[in-house]
Amino acid sequence: MTISPDLDRRFREAADALGLLDVGFDVVDSPVGELFVAVSDRGLTAISYDTNIELQLERLARIAGPRVLRSPRSIDETRRELDEYFEGKRHAFDLSLDLRALAPFTIEVLRELARVPYGATTTYGELASRVGRPRAARAVGTVMNRNRIPIVLPCHRVVGATGDLVGYAGGLERKIALLELEGAR
């Protein structure tokens, strides 16, 4: 049985409107490539450079529940803010974030990361110090590598102790592009 694109769209919109989704997602075009974006009723749940939908669905189901469905409308606000960011019109995001299933240390580091201003950089060691764990630079690096909401939680703004661009889950070319967009490089 073949389902028409219109029926499929109406089904997804109805599921979203009735609150039947744990997470709605879509794939968004951006200057740094396609982004997988997912939003729950609690807020932005994930942005990923990996747009393998099957892999992402499994991850989201473990985080928020099994009712995960492609629903472009559910990410409209996030899409708008990302577009404004990439156009250079937005320097801070006003999105609610769904950080459930993260360890307390991870949440603490990500909250401190969110305070790093547009166009600025910090180091792993500085972030570790800001959360009261000055010897935990490597642990902070692990948090940055596993950050499930890059760009909005700006792990691209974290550099090595010498100022070198070290590691970025999305690839160094994306990190450079984001820092150049912000005028930090």
Side-chain angles (χ1 to χ4, degrees), residues 25-28 32-37 46-57 59-60 150 169-171 174:
F25 74 89
D26 201 6
V27 176
V28 174
V32 292
E34 288 188 326
L35 302 171
F36 178 91
V37 178
I47 294 178
S48 179
Y49 296 109
D50 183 346
T51 58
N52 177 330
I53 291 174
E54 291 304 315
L55 175 75
Q56 297 297 340
L57 294 180
R59 183 173 74 138
L60 291 171
R174 285 188 176 116

Side-chain angles (χ1 to χ4, degrees), residues 69-82:
L69 190 63
R70 187 173 211 142
S71 174
R73 289 174 102 187
S74 64
I75 69 152
D76 280 349
E77 183 180 355
T78 303
R79 182 189 329 263
R80 180 183 55 76
E81 290 200 20
L82 284 169

Side-chain angles (χ1 to χ4, degrees), residues 98-121:
D98 182 348
L99 299 178
R100 75 178 119 174
L102 296 176
F105 174 75
T106 298
I107 292 171
E108 191 176 4
V109 170
L110 292 175
R111 290 190 195 283
E112 193 59 43
L113 172 66
R115 292 184 179 101
V116 178
Y118 181 95
T121 59

Side-chain angles (χ1 to χ4, degrees), residues 79-145:
R79 182 189 329 263
R80 180 183 55 76
E81 290 200 20
L82 284 169
D83 287 346
E84 291 169 358
Y85 169 79
F86 286 117
E87 291 167 3
K89 297 176 183 174
R90 174 172 292 280
H91 295 182
F93 291 92
D94 296 319
L95 300 166
S96 297
L97 303 179
D98 182 348
L99 299 178
R100 75 178 119 174
L102 296 176
F105 174 75
T106 298
I107 292 171
E108 191 176 4
V109 170
L110 292 175
R111 290 190 195 283
E112 193 59 43
L113 172 66
R115 292 184 179 101
V116 178
Y118 181 95
T121 59
T122 190
T123 66
Y124 299 98
E126 288 173 16
L127 270 181
S129 292
R130 289 184 200 169
V131 297
R133 306 269 302 272
R135 299 176 60 106
R138 282 183 185 252
V140 166
T142 299
V143 170
M144 297 302 101
N145 182 263

